[in-house]
């Protein structure tokens, strides 16, 4: 039997559910999930699957602003995607991404995420593309280049839109809004 997928905004989750999601992500990321990472994961749409053992998969989508060629793009940024170890390779990550991508298509100009080596294949199989240009953030003291994020930051245009292609736009810089911890 296929377990149901649930979506809910952070505001609609109980404190116990939020605690469960945080503990799940701490475990899924082998203790390498900081308070800043948690802060980046909340405040938007969560998609998750539970089974008889608890959470089996989770991902969230939060709004960010990305500047590209002088335009501010409302961007759905994917965070906190994880599948419990005993449930991997069963399609749960794809189900979570289906829900998040539907939200991107309905409400955003662009989807973006930073992929781990382990997660990159999932996103590539779904049509996400590595941003080939430069990456930077608009920090408190000005522009902060993010060369370490280049090659691991993926984008996906919302349905009916295309990634910018005219006159080398794909190689222009994406400027992300600033946040504490890992900017991307």
């Amino acid at each position: 039997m296929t377990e149901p997928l649930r979506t809910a905004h952070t505001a609609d989750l109980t404190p116990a559910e939020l605690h469960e999601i945080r503990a799940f992500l701490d475990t899924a990321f082998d203790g390498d999930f900081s308070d800043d990472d948690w802060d980046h994961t909340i405040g938007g749409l969560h998609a998750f699957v539970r089974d008889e053992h608890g959470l089996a998969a989770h991902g969230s989508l939060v709004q960010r602003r990305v500047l590209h060629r002088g335009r501010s793009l409302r961007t759905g940024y994917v965070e906190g995607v994880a599948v419990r170890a005993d449930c991997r390779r069963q399609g749960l990550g794809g189900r979570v991404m289906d829900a998040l991508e539907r939200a991107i298509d309905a409400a955003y100009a662009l989807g973006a995420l930073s992929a781990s080596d382990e997660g990159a294949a999932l996103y590539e199989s779904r049509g996400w593309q590595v941003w080939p240009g430069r990456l930077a953030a608009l920090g408190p003291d000005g522009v902060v280049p993010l060369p370490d994020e280049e090659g691991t930051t993926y984008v996906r245009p919302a349905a009916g839109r295309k990634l910018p292609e005219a006159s080398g736009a794909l190689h222009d810089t994406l400027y992300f809004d600033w946040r504490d911890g890992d900017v991307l």
Side-chain angles (χ1 to χ4, degrees):
M1 175 177 156
T2 303
E3 301 296 336
L5 178 127
R6 179 177 169 206
T7 58
H9 191 279
T10 300
D12 296 323
L13 296 171
T14 67
E17 289 172 317
L18 290 169
H19 178 76
E20 178 186 26
I21 292 168
R22 172 67 194 258
F24 173 77
L25 293 171
D26 284 338
T27 299
F29 288 97
D30 296 323
D32 190 24
F33 193 79
S34 70
D35 289 343
D36 287 328
D37 294 330
W38 176 242
D39 187 58
H40 301 166
T41 301
I42 58 175
L45 179 71
H46 298 261
F48 52 95
V49 177
R50 278 195 178 90
D51 64 13
E52 64 276 7
H53 303 292
L55 280 176
H58 173 272
S60 67
L61 186 69
V62 297
Q63 182 173 307
R64 297 193 64 187
R65 285 288 178 176
V66 175
L67 290 176
H68 180 258
R69 298 191 118 193
R71 288 192 58 223
S72 177
L73 303 174
R74 188 177 54 253
T75 301
Y77 200 86
V78 176
E79 291 284 359
V81 176
V83 176
R84 200 174 64 225
D86 65 319
C87 296
R88 292 184 183 144
R89 307 288 182 251
Q90 297 176 25
L92 295 180
R95 289 180 58 210
V96 164
M97 289 303 297
D98 281 342
L100 301 180
E101 290 166 357
R102 277 194 309 276
I104 290 168
D105 291 345
Y108 298 97
L110 181 71
L113 58 84
S114 181
S116 65
D117 291 340
E118 297 82 17
L122 169 67
Y123 308 122
E124 289 171 359
S125 74
R126 302 184 63 78
W128 289 74
Q129 301 171 31
V130 171
W131 181 257
R134 298 282 180 216
L135 298 169
L138 299 175
D141 297 319
V143 173
V144 178
L146 301 170
D148 293 344
E149 302 294 338
E150 294 168 6
T152 62
T153 298
Y154 286 71
V155 295
R156 174 188 180 277
R161 299 180 185 245
K162 294 183 178 180
L163 292 177
E165 297 174 13
S167 64
L170 277 176
H171 298 286
D172 287 349
T173 301
L174 287 182
Y175 297 92
F176 284 82
D177 55 354
W178 184 258
R179 61 188 188 173
D180 292 333
D182 294 329
V183 176
L184 295 185

